[in-house]
Amino acid sequence: MGRDMLSVKLDQLEQRLKRLHTRIYMGQTAGHSQLRQEIDALEQECAQAESALEENLRCSKSAVVSILARGYGEIEQTVQRTKFQLQAMAGNNLDEESWGEAKLLAAEYALDFAHQVANRAVLLAMDAIDTQLLRQETEERSQP
C-alpha cells in the first residue's frame, strides 16, 4: 500500500517537473506579456498549493506530521527572509544588468536546492520502503 502511494507521488512530481521544464523553456522564448501571464499563473498555483499543503499539515493528528509542519514553517520563513533580502539588494542601486545577473544566479541555485530536496525526498521514500520490506521479511520468517 505505502509503496503504491509513493509511486503515485513520484508520478505527480514527474508531471510537475515536466511542467516546470516547459515553463522555463517558454520563459526563454516568450515575449514579456506572455511571460508575465505565466508568472502570474504560477504564482497563483504556488499560493494554492502552499495553502493546500498547510491545510493538510494542520489537519493531521500525526506526531510525525507536526514535526514536518514545523520544519516546513521554518523553510517558508527562510524563503521569505531571503526574498526580502534579495529585494533589499535590488534597492541598493544595482544597475539593471547586475540585478538581472543576480536574479539568474539565485534561480540557478534555487534549482540546485530543489534537486537536493528531491534527492532527500527519494532517500526518505527508499528508507520507508526498506523498513516495510524488513518488516515483511520478519513476518514471513516468523510464520510456520
Side-chain angles (χ1 to χ4, degrees), residues 11-143:
D11 288 342
Q12 290 172 350
L13 179 60
E14 184 176 0
Q15 293 304 313
R16 290 173 184 156
L17 286 174
K18 285 180 183 177
R19 181 71 178 131
L20 291 174
H21 185 269
T22 299
R23 281 182 160 143
I24 290 172
Y25 178 77
M26 186 277 308
Q28 294 171 331
T29 59
H32 173 70
S33 63
Q34 184 182 4
L35 184 56
R36 279 305 330 160
Q37 288 176 352
E38 196 64 29
I39 288 169
D40 292 343
L42 183 54
E43 284 177 342
Q44 185 175 8
E45 284 179 35
C46 286
Q48 290 171 346
E50 287 169 10
S51 179
L53 180 57
E54 288 171 356
E55 181 66 22
N56 288 342
L57 290 169
R58 195 172 27 259
C59 290
S60 178
K61 300 199 184 334
S62 169
V64 171
V65 174
S66 69
I67 293 168
L68 294 171
R70 278 194 302 276
Y72 178 75
E74 291 172 12
I75 291 167
E76 278 300 309
Q77 289 175 356
T78 301
V79 167
Q80 289 303 316
R81 189 173 52 251
T82 302
K83 181 179 175 181
F84 292 136
Q85 289 171 347
L86 289 171
Q87 289 171 342
M89 177 187 272
N92 289 336
N93 299 322
L94 283 180
D95 61 78
E96 215 172 293
E97 183 178 343
S98 296
W99 179 234
E101 290 176 11
K103 287 175 97 173
L104 183 58
L105 183 62
E108 289 177 30
Y109 274 104
L111 290 170
D112 288 340
F113 299 157
H115 181 247
Q116 274 304 106
V117 169
N119 278 339
R120 293 294 181 177
V122 170
L123 282 171
L124 283 170
M126 292 171 71
D127 188 49
I129 292 167
D130 187 47
T131 299
Q132 286 183 334
L133 288 173
L134 287 173
R135 184 182 48 82
Q136 288 172 351
E137 288 175 6
T138 302
E139 287 174 1
E140 288 171 4
R141 276 189 241 126
S142 66
Q143 293 177 355

